[in-house]
């Protein structure tokens, strides 16, 4: 397999010949990508090609794997010290007088932790991005700490990680792993990856896999026992570290990094709802985070630190740098949601039919932490306009990671007062708006195949019958059902769908709601009265926004927000007859 | 209006203007001394001492200081939370100094927003307050009811993306009347408010109640009347996710038929107004 545009060379070190490839302009900052086990440098091909237009990207096959030669004998040839020799030889060759940015996955990250914590590379590494590979020394201390004071929680953590590390014990048995890899396991591995990890099919893994995996077993045998029993005391990172934690990693518990700040003082945390092989399954997100981190630490090298509002939100690790589109972002829940994502460091597209308020949301979003924010004016019920918007967004900003279909209008009045035009309008915005959003942006998300999340703002009215809100409740019930169906359909593609059912929230939906069957004056009176009621209830949209972020992080299906919404949700499940009785009551308007 | 009355009025206004200027000078002097580590209590004491040295003996209310997210009244539930705490100022934190000294029988009530270091967000909030100052003056001149003006200020804040934090003040007031205060030898305070001023406010409330107006400018029905002539300390207060900003200054309302003279800000030479004039 050949990575597009790669320049290959061989670097000799301690009797080994390492296969090194370079992409991109060598004058740009150098990013060295180190692969894990049982991989070869090709695991990075998706990320490397994406990074190559901005950086000088360097990949190499670790000794004994891919097209690099193996040490002889194998035993003792894979110690972290020797791997560090290799790394130094590579950076001497590709970037002799400028520090490099290291990125490691799995064992590549394990060994990069060694690179970034030993004296001899000080000043040679500008930054380190780690994913799915802890430092063996930190791991050793982590175990010791939990053994020394075993509280139930700590024992649980130990046992949990112990169970996840089954393959480490397996790899310590002699000969068997080699036989398995050269035999049936090696043959079936690509299919296993596809099925279990959802790694897209293609030219990865490479044909050298059985040999790579067999040689790589010595990575474990040469290092794990030695380091875990006698971890180094001075394993402090001398470069800024970005830690990317895949939350669904089958081999490593996120708990492993609990006190990492002690070892890496300049630490940025990122988390990703994905499994272990993120370089294959989430290349876009990794590229964005690596690019951002490298650029930030290049700017600092130059003495001009990039100054902007730092994301301070609760979920900054999860949404930092992600692309979030919110409809109805000009006011109320939509605006609060856009701000909450902005605070978490997401890039925000604020969509509203009112251009001025959308622009305002985007402007304020940038002031509180969004690295970039844009305003778009569109009526969500307009199919063609939405299509145009989807095209524009894909072309200019990229595929959205989180879509929030929030735009909606209120309509109150009895069924017979509700005209066909009223019905059409409320369904067009509340239901069709959501359908268009899911269809267009959800499709882009699904086609990219790198996960994502869709949030649809339904309402407590979706499960709360009322004689005063037939059209509105119908539209929202449809949104709720649509969300649940879509959730089932997209579950296999790592895309979550949540329906939010807020309840009475202090927004201006009441001030702009239609009251069917009322003349203009009566409508205004009712708008004011209901606004006042909602104002007295005074449930802030910010809390709904928090619930939305929570729902995305935890991939919740249906989220009633206010206490009354939660109560109504419970009643709809356990005492639906009582709800039906309440539905007959005249609302206080 | 006879000239004598006019002269007396302008003499009186001069008295109010002087104490307002003094209070803003105090705010600027104290703000200039704020540095990381200073607590709200210390900042409040600095204001108190600065004003005492210049002859202030009585207060409408004692000086307040709010730092960080307290400027946006995050999680304010009970009035006691208004009082200065041991919260320490840090680099980049917004702060608000609020004081209401009484000097030679004249009252001022001012609010000063600042930020320790640069903050584009804080700058934005301060800049957006300008529209509120203009809106309030315009609508008072139009003789809209106080409640209507309150709701319009509210709507403007919502449009701007902010939460109105004056809602957290006692009775949700955006403004209250101030008057001359008789000078006494003893000037006790009650919950941070000067006893004399409270007395004035209470008697206003009593008289107002008979005539259908209130010395408190609030969102409630008792503010459903046109602006009453006199001096109003107006304090629109914006809050945005842990950052707050306000100004507070005196608005003069008269019963003149000429719209220009029917209402005007007591002084236009104030830090926030100068800031807008400089185009920051």
């Amino acid at each position: 397999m050949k990575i597009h545009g790669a320049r290959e060379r061989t670097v000799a070190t301690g009797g080994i010949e390492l296969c090194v490839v370079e992409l991109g302009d060598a004058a740009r900052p150098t990013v060295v990508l180190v692969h894990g086990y049982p991989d070869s440098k090709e695991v990075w091909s998706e990320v490397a090609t994406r990074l190559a237009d901005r950086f000088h990207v360097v990949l190499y096959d670790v000794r004994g794997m891919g097209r690099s030669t193996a040490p002889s004998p194998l035993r003792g040839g894979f110690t972290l010290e020797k791997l560090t020799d290799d790394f130094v030889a590579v950076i001497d060759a590709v970037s002799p007088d400028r520090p490099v940015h290291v990125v490691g996955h799995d064992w590549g990250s394990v060994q990069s932790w060694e690179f970034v914590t030993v004296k001899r590379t000080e000043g040679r590494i500008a930054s380190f991005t780690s994913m799915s590979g802890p430092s063996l020394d930190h791991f050793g201390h982590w175990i010791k700490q939990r053994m020394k004071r075993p509280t139930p929680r700590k024992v649980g953590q130990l046992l949990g990680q112990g169970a996840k590390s089954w393959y480490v014990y397996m790899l310590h048995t002699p000969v068997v792993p080699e036989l398995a890899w050269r035999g049936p396991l090696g043959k079936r591995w690509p299919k296993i990856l596809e099925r279990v990890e959802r790694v897209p099919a293609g030219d990865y893994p490479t044909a050298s896999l059985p040999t790579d995996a067999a040689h790589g077993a010595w990575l474990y045998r040469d290092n794990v026992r030695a380091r875990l029993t006698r971890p180094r005391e001075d394993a402090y990172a001398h470069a800024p570290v970005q830690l990317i934690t895949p939350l669904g990693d089958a081999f490593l518990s996120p708990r492993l990094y609990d006190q990492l700040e002690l070892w890496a003082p300049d630490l940025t945390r990122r988390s990703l709802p994905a499994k272990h092989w993120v370089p294959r399954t989430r290349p876009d997100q990794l590229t964005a985070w690596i690019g951002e981190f490298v650029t930030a630490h290049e700017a600092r090298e130059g003495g001009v630190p990039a100054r902007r509002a730092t994301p301070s939100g609760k979920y900054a690790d999860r949404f930092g740098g992600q692309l979030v589109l919110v409809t109805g972002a000009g006011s109320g829940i939509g605006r609060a949601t856009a701000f909450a994502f902005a605070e978490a460091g997401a890039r925000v597209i604020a969509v509203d039919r009112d251009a001025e308020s959308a622009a305002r949301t985007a402007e304020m979003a940038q002031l509180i932490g969004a690295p970039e924010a844009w305003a778009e004016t569109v009526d969500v019920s307009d199919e063609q306009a939405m299509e145009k918007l989807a095209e524009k967004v894909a072309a200019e900003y990229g595929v959205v990671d989180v879509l929030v279909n929030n735009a909606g209008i209120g309509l109150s009045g009895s069924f017979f007062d509700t005209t066909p035009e009223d019905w059409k309008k409320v369904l067009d915005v509340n239901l069709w708006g959501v359908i268009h959003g899911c269809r267009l942006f959800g499709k882009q998300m699904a086609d990219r195949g790198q996960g994502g999340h869709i949030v649809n703002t339904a309402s407590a009215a979706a499960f709360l019958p009322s004689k005063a809100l037939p059209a509105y409740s119908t539209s929202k019930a449809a949104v709720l059902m649509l969300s649940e169906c879509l959730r089932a359909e997209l579950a296999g593609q790592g895309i979550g769908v949540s329906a939010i059912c807020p309840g009475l929230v202090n927004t201006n939906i009441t001030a702009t709601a239609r009251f069917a069957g009322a003349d203009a004056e009566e409508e205004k009176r009712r708008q004011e009265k209901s606004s006042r009621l909602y104002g007295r209830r005074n449930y802030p949209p910010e809390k709904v926004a928090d619930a939305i972020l929570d729902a995305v992080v935890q991939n919740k299906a249906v989220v009633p927000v206010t206490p009354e919404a939660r109560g109504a949700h419970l009643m709809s499940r356990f005492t639906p007859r009582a709800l039906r009785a309440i539905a007959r009551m005249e609302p206080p308007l | 209006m006879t000239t004598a009355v006019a002269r007396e009025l302008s003499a009186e206004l001069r008295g109010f203007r002087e104490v307002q200027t003094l209070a803003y000078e105090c705010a600027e002097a104290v703000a200039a001394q704020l540095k990381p580590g200073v607590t709200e209590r210390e900042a409040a004491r600095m204001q108190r001492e600065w004003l005492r040295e210049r002859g202030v003996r009585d207060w409408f209310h004692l000086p307040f200081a709010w730092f960080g997210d307290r400027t946006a009244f995050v999680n304010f539930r009970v009035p006691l939370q208004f009082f200065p705490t041991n919260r320490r100022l840090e680099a980049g934190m917004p702060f608000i100094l609020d004081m209401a000294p009484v000097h030679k029988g004249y009252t001022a009530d001012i609010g000063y927003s600042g930020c320790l270091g640069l903050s584009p967000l804080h700058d934005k909030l301060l800049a957006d307050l300008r529209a509120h100052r203009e809106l309030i003056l315009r609508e008072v001149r139009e003789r809209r009811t106080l409640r209507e003006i309150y709701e319009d200020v509210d709507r403007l804040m919502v449009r701007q993306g902010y939460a109105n934090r004056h809602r957290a003040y006692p009775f949700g007031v955006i403004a209250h009347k101030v008057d001359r205060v008789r000078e006494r030898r003893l000037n006790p305070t009650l919950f941070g408010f000067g006893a004399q001023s409270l007395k004035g406010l209470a008697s206003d409330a009593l008289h107002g109640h008979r005539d259908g107006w209130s010395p408190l400018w609030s969102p409630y029905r008792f503010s459903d009347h046109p602006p009453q002539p006199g001096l109003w300390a107006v304090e629109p207060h914006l809050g945005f996710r842990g950052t707050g900003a306000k100004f507070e200054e005196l608005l003069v309302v008269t019963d003149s038929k000429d719209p220009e003279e029917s209402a005007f800000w007591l002084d236009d030479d104030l830090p926030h107004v100068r800031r807008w004039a400089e185009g920051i």
Side-chain angles (χ1 to χ4, degrees):
Chain A
M1 172 188 166
K2 179 117 173 73
I3 298 170
H4 183 70
R7 309 181 289 277
E8 193 173 312
R9 65 159 116 176
T10 310
V11 171
T13 158
I16 307 278
E17 300 215 320
L18 296 172
C19 172
V20 181
V21 302
E22 291 168 81
L23 289 87
D25 183 354
R28 300 264 175 85
T30 303
V31 180
V32 182
L33 306 171
V34 191
H35 71 81
Y37 175 88
D39 294 321
S40 58
K41 61 182 179 307
E42 281 73 21
V43 75
W44 286 117
S45 58
E46 295 287 328
V47 175
T49 45
R50 283 168 168 83
L51 285 171
D53 51 356
R54 278 187 292 163
F55 304 108
H56 174 216
V57 183
V58 176
L59 309 98
Y60 67 98
D61 283 320
V62 173
R63 51 170 59 202
M65 303 186 206
R67 286 153 47 80
S68 295
T69 58
S72 171
L74 291 168
R75 177 189 298 274
F78 286 88
T79 58
L80 286 170
E81 290 75 17
K82 289 188 177 163
L83 296 169
T84 311
D85 292 343
D86 291 356
F87 172 72
V88 172
V90 171
I91 60 173
D92 277 345
V94 297
S95 177
D97 30 48
R98 206 165 152 196
V100 300
H101 300 267
V102 187
V103 179
H105 173 250
D106 188 86
W107 250 94
S109 171
V110 175
Q111 46 174 309
S112 299
W113 271 112
E114 176 80 2
F115 308 159
V116 85
T117 55
V118 293
K119 279 275 167 299
R120 57 179 164 146
T121 53
E122 222 164 312
R124 303 294 308 275
I125 297 176
S127 81
F128 169 39
T129 299
S130 159
M131 52 197 93
S132 293
S135 153
L136 290 181
D137 302 298
H138 302 165
F139 195 3
H141 288 293
W142 186 88
I143 294 173
K144 273 193 177 166
Q145 211 187 23
R146 276 157 186 74
M147 302 269 256
K148 226 188 291 172
R149 287 203 187 76
T151 62
R153 174 187 302 220
K154 286 178 178 172
V155 172
Q157 291 175 354
L158 269 177
L159 292 177
Q161 181 55 48
K164 287 185 177 209
S165 297
W166 56 269
Y167 64 101
V168 178
Y169 323 131
M170 295 290 291
L171 284 164
H172 277 82
T173 40
V175 192
V176 181
E178 277 91 340
L179 286 177
W181 278 114
R182 289 185 197 277
L185 184 57
K187 226 174 279 154
R188 298 224 179 97
W189 188 245
K191 283 276 168 252
I192 295 175
L193 278 188
E194 257 177 64
R195 205 175 59 236
V196 179
E197 285 278 332
R198 301 197 184 283
V199 169
D203 42 13
Y204 167 85
T206 49
S208 61
L209 171 79
T211 347
D212 298 349
H215 286 160
W218 288 100
L219 288 169
Y220 293 85
R221 295 168 187 163
D222 277 350
N223 297 298
V224 171
R225 234 176 325 167
R227 288 300 177 106
L228 291 192
T229 47
R230 284 181 306 282
R232 277 166 50 208
E233 297 290 340
D234 62 343
Y236 295 101
H238 48 66
V241 178
Q242 170 172 240
L243 177 75
I244 299 176
T245 316
L247 298 171
D249 198 319
F251 309 108
L252 298 155
S253 146
R255 288 268 83 84
L256 276 177
Y257 309 106
D258 269 356
Q259 284 177 319
L260 195 59
E261 279 85 358
L262 299 177
W263 298 106
D266 191 349
L267 179 68
T268 306
R269 287 175 184 268
R270 304 280 189 203
S271 63
L272 198 56
K275 295 191 174 179
H276 182 75
W277 260 276
V278 281
R280 303 304 301 182
T281 55
R282 297 286 185 273
D284 284 347
Q285 185 62 72
L286 294 192
T287 308
W289 279 338
I290 295 168
E292 195 185 322
F293 197 64
V294 167
T295 311
H297 291 284
E298 275 295 314
R300 194 179 292 181
E301 297 284 305
V304 204
R307 196 184 134 272
R308 61 179 177 84
T310 39
S312 56
K314 189 169 140 204
Y315 293 120
D317 65 322
R318 175 70 168 72
F319 296 115
Q322 294 209 327
L323 185 63
V324 177
L325 184 141
V326 184
T327 68
S331 62
I333 295 171
R335 184 178 253 177
T337 305
F339 288 157
F341 277 113
E343 257 180 353
R347 299 178 299 141
V348 175
I349 307 169
V351 178
D352 201 281
R353 64 179 170 185
D354 178 40
E356 198 188 319
S357 52
R360 179 85 195 174
T361 304
E363 185 191 3
M364 300 302 291
Q366 245 168 333
L367 287 174
I368 56 173
E372 290 171 288
W374 306 275
E376 294 291 344
T377 314
V378 77
D379 181 350
V380 292
S381 64
D382 182 343
E383 184 181 343
Q384 271 151 20
M386 284 292 276
E387 264 166 22
K388 229 182 259 163
L389 176 71
E391 273 167 34
K392 183 180 176 194
V393 166
E396 291 180 16
Y397 320 131
V399 176
V400 296
D401 296 297
V402 180
L403 166 69
V404 184
N405 286 309
N406 165 75
I409 53 171
L411 174 65
S412 177
S414 81
F415 175 77
F416 290 111
D417 284 337
T418 309
T419 63
E421 286 73 50
D422 287 334
W423 272 100
K424 198 168 150 15
K425 205 166 166 210
V426 83
L427 289 176
D428 271 351
V429 176
N430 290 5
L431 178 58
W432 275 101
V434 175
I435 296 177
H436 292 319
C438 292
R439 208 168 51 83
L440 297 162
F441 295 103
K443 177 92 166 62
Q444 293 175 3
M445 231 182 245
D447 284 349
R448 180 175 65 160
Q450 296 185 37
H453 204 99
I454 299 175
V455 178
N456 295 330
T457 306
S459 164
F463 40 74
L464 196 63
S466 155
K467 69 191 244 184
L469 295 164
Y472 181 76
S473 302
T474 304
S475 70
K476 290 302 191 181
V479 169
L480 180 59
M481 183 49 83
L482 163 67
S483 309
E484 297 207 65
C485 295
L486 196 60
R487 183 180 172 87
E489 179 169 340
L490 292 177
Q493 299 175 53
I495 300 174
V497 181
S498 304
I500 308 294
C501 307
L504 298 185
V505 176
N506 192 7
T507 69
N508 69 351
I509 192 165
T510 44
T512 54
R514 261 285 282 129
F515 284 79
D519 57 28
E521 201 176 312
E522 174 64 10
E523 182 166 63
K524 190 157 188 306
R525 194 189 67 78
R526 289 197 191 174
Q527 283 174 349
E528 274 172 15
K529 189 139 186 228
S530 54
S531 296
R532 225 163 261 167
L533 175 77
Y534 276 51
R536 260 208 304 278
R537 171 73 184 85
N538 205 16
Y539 195 90
E542 285 76 19
K543 283 199 184 176
V544 184
D546 290 344
I548 289 178
L549 267 69
D550 252 8
V552 177
V553 168
Q554 299 174 36
N555 193 14
K556 293 184 188 163
V558 180
V559 185
V561 184
T562 60
E564 63 269 15
R566 273 181 277 144
H569 191 234
L570 275 179
M571 284 177 79
S572 72
R573 290 160 72 188
F574 300 112
T575 58
R577 285 178 63 172
L579 271 194
R580 278 179 220 129
I582 294 171
R584 298 178 183 192
M585 290 188 337
E586 199 62 48
L589 289 176
Chain B
M1 209 185 285
T2 63
T3 39
V5 173
R7 208 178 305 127
E8 194 185 322
L9 179 72
S10 62
E12 191 165 34
L13 289 186
R14 205 176 309 127
F16 278 108
R17 192 176 299 173
E18 269 167 21
V19 62
Q20 178 165 289
T21 307
L22 183 74
Y24 264 109
E25 274 170 13
C26 168
E28 287 189 305
V30 170
Q33 292 174 46
L34 292 180
K35 48 182 182 290
V38 174
T39 66
E40 288 180 354
R41 287 211 173 114
E42 285 162 2
R45 189 179 325 122
M46 284 153 80
Q47 298 173 54
R48 228 162 44 224
E49 282 166 1
W50 196 96
L51 288 166
R52 268 192 212 288
E53 278 167 24
R54 283 154 187 83
V56 170
R57 289 290 168 269
D58 193 7
W59 310 90
F60 182 86
H61 66 71
L62 289 171
F64 292 118
W66 302 300
F67 293 169
D69 64 3
R70 281 173 50 82
T71 58
F73 294 170
V74 171
N75 295 327
F76 271 38
R77 299 262 181 280
V78 291
L80 281 179
Q81 289 169 310
F82 285 95
F83 289 101
T85 65
N86 283 325
R87 166 76 64 93
R88 285 182 189 281
L89 195 62
E90 289 164 25
M93 255 193 192
F95 60 83
I96 294 179
L97 305 176
D98 188 308
M99 67 195 98
V102 175
H103 190 46
K104 295 178 187 160
Y106 297 99
T107 310
D109 193 348
I110 68 134
Y112 179 90
S113 298
C115 191
L116 195 66
L118 294 171
S119 163
L121 177 61
H122 191 260
D123 290 348
K124 181 79 189 154
L125 263 75
L126 276 185
D128 284 334
L129 276 170
R130 181 181 194 163
H132 292 278
R133 194 174 186 264
E134 287 162 1
L135 176 121
I136 290 168
L137 182 61
R138 189 174 61 244
E139 299 203 345
V140 167
R141 282 178 175 169
E142 288 166 9
R143 286 295 185 260
R144 308 266 208 103
T145 72
L146 293 183
R147 190 181 185 181
E148 249 176 43
I149 304 174
Y150 190 104
E151 283 167 356
D152 284 346
V153 169
D154 239 35
R155 266 193 280 276
L156 177 56
M157 285 187 184
V158 168
R159 239 193 350 269
Q160 289 175 332
Y162 301 129
N164 66 343
R165 297 317 298 154
H166 45 265
R167 193 97 203 206
Y169 288 87
F171 304 103
V173 298
I174 191 173
H176 57 83
K177 270 199 81 178
V178 295
D179 245 318
R180 296 195 60 163
V181 173
R182 198 172 299 162
E183 288 181 282
R184 296 286 172 99
R185 263 178 4 127
L186 279 179
N187 297 302
T189 58
L190 204 63
F191 300 113
F193 287 89
Q196 294 301 325
S197 312
L198 276 184
K199 230 168 83 183
L201 211 54
S203 97
D204 263 355
L206 194 69
H207 290 124
H209 185 69
R210 279 185 215 144
D211 306 337
W213 62 273
S214 156
L216 298 178
W217 183 340
S218 79
Y220 303 113
R221 199 166 308 146
F222 61 72
S223 290
D224 231 345
H225 60 81
Q228 194 65 20
L231 275 83
W232 291 82
V234 185
E235 44 185 336
H237 191 154
L238 307 175
F240 187 62
R241 311 187 85 85
T243 302
K246 69 180 266 192
F247 67 80
E248 181 171 13
E249 53 173 307
L250 294 181
L251 176 71
V252 185
V253 180
T254 69
D255 48 15
S256 164
K257 292 277 173 278
D258 176 16
E260 290 275 310
E261 278 178 25
S262 70
F264 51 91
W265 294 104
L266 179 63
D267 194 354
D268 278 324
D269 188 21
L270 299 176
H272 50 277
V273 187
R274 285 198 295 269
R275 197 186 154 89
W276 298 326
E278 285 160 19
I280 305 173

